[in-house]
Amino acid sequence: MTRRPGGSHRPGSGGGPMTRWALLAAGVATLALPPILPERYLATFVLLLLAATVTVGVSLLMGYAGQVSLGQASFYAIGAYAAGLLSVHGVPSLIALAVAPVVAAVAAVLLGAPLLRLRGHHLAFATLAVQLILLSVLAQADWAGGAIGLQGIPRLTVLGVELRDVGYAYAAWVVLAVALLISRNVIESRAGRGLRAAATSETAAAASGVAIGRYRLAVFTLSAAMAGLAGGVYAFYLGYLSPGSFPVLLSIEFVVMAVVGGLGTIAGPVVGAAVITVLVQVLNTLGTQPGMPDYAPSVLSYAVYALVLIVCVLYLPRGLVPALDRLRATRITVAERADPARTGP
């Protein structure tokens, strides 16, 4: 998972122009889904979109800044608790939602300044430790509901309209669209090019005038803000938060989604989130069948993450989206060779 970011992609390609058009078409198509989905599938749809939003930030952080974070669920939790606590204490829900990514970003700046001095597995373990500390603090903090959890979070209200299940699906869709748009702009910016250069060679990038530390902190902060915004929607959607809502396994899940979809691509986080979310739901359904032991769902979840990662490392080292783009490019090349008239005189 420490591959060179952007090594196989043009700046801003997002895994290829066809993938970008496919993502746009899929986004438009999903707008028609919420009203027709059954309630149990609608909940999966909302959680999938929120997971994809967090994974967009993880993909930027790992795919461009070259930093591995195993604690992204920390910022998801910070955003959720920030929005939940503010709304419980009388702050309008929409304002509380807007504050959630700001609080997560501030936390990222405070934590990132010392943590980003670390590299590789040292940084990964440090971010994991941050999440463990956060969960311990939340479990002991009476102001956050303690181990019992924060209850009574009101519904999100937009322009005087209280959102219901379908409304949350559209809210999550908008949040993901914003994250993807920001991701695309970052990838195509000077900062994005500087990050790719730094991930390839820090010495060469620094000699070229790239502010490596500042850029990495900015991406770390941006990824945290995306997670915080998704966490705010999550808090209003469930109406209840507890430390158990943000286990370490959730951070690992975000990393797996980013790797499976394709690091440093625009479409990768969405594809990875869809694949892993659907797979986990199928396994959870299987694990809760009559006769299965109580620990079956969690064991199956860990097993599928391990299996998916092994398969990706062996057969799809750059992820699904780059693999699909290479397959498409190969087919076009073969077709052009078979029919020279297609390439012109």
Side-chain angles (χ1 to χ4, degrees):
M1 290 186 289
T2 56
R3 70 200 70 169
R4 289 186 302 173
S8 61
H9 305 295
R10 293 178 293 105
S13 67
M18 182 60 70
T19 304
R20 198 186 307 179
W21 280 109
L23 182 63
L24 180 61
V28 173
T30 53
L31 285 173
L33 283 178
I36 62 177
L37 284 176
E39 185 175 349
R40 58 175 180 156
Y41 294 129
L42 184 60
T44 301
F45 182 74
V46 173
L47 296 178
L48 188 159
L49 294 177
L50 295 178
T53 302
V54 181
T55 308
V56 169
V58 175
S59 182
L60 277 176
L61 184 63
M62 294 178 61
Y64 284 87
Q67 304 299 301
V68 180
S69 173
L70 294 180
Q72 202 67 8
S74 301
F75 302 111
Y76 194 42
I78 290 172
Y81 270 91
L85 286 167
L86 287 173
S87 61
V88 165
H89 288 86
V91 176
S93 59
L94 197 58
I95 295 178
L97 178 61
V99 171
V102 176
V103 174
V106 170
V109 171
L110 297 176
L111 293 171
L115 290 185
L116 292 179
R117 298 175 183 271
L118 304 174
R119 295 290 184 270
H121 64 278
H122 295 99
L123 176 61
F125 290 149
T127 54
L128 178 62
V130 167
Q131 182 171 351
L132 294 174
I133 293 171
L134 176 65
L135 293 178
S136 178
V137 169
L138 291 175
Q140 300 297 323
D142 293 336
W143 51 266
I148 297 176
L150 182 64
Q151 304 178 43
I153 301 175
R155 289 186 175 272
L156 181 62
T157 301
V158 180
L159 300 177
V161 178
E162 194 175 80
L163 297 188
R164 299 295 174 178
D165 291 344
V166 173
Y168 283 108
Y170 286 119
W173 189 96
V174 170
V175 165
L176 175 58
V178 170
L180 289 171
L181 180 61
I182 293 174
S183 174
R184 176 179 176 273
N185 290 337
V186 169
I187 289 172
E188 295 184 345
S189 69
R190 179 181 178 182
R193 295 190 294 272
L195 285 169
R196 286 194 297 277
T200 302
S201 173
E202 286 192 15
T203 303
S208 300
V210 176
I212 299 174
R214 188 175 64 188
Y215 281 177
R216 282 180 170 163
L217 181 59
V219 173
F220 187 71
T221 304
L222 178 61
S223 68
M226 291 179 180
L229 181 58
V233 177
Y234 178 81
F236 290 116
Y237 178 60
L238 291 188
Y240 166 79
L241 297 171
S242 72
S245 303
F246 309 95
V248 171
L249 180 60
L250 186 59
S251 288
I252 297 174
E253 184 175 321
F254 295 142
V255 172
V256 172
M257 289 175 179
V259 173
V260 169
L263 293 174
T265 64
I266 295 175
V270 180
V271 173
V275 169
I276 297 301
T277 300
V278 171
L279 192 55
V280 168
Q281 288 297 320
V282 170
L283 290 174
N284 283 338
T285 301
L286 178 62
T288 54
Q289 293 298 312
M292 298 292 286
D294 294 339
Y295 55 80
S298 59
V299 170
L300 287 174
S301 294
Y302 280 107
V304 73
Y305 296 147
L307 181 61
V308 168
L309 277 177
I310 291 172
V311 170
C312 281
V313 169
L314 291 177
Y315 302 106
L316 299 169
R318 292 174 180 169
L320 285 172
V321 169
L324 292 173
D325 280 334
R326 288 198 303 274
L327 178 61
R328 173 182 168 274
T330 301
R331 287 180 175 178
I332 292 176
T333 302
V334 171
E336 289 177 345
R337 288 178 179 174
D339 185 8
R342 295 181 58 183
T343 60

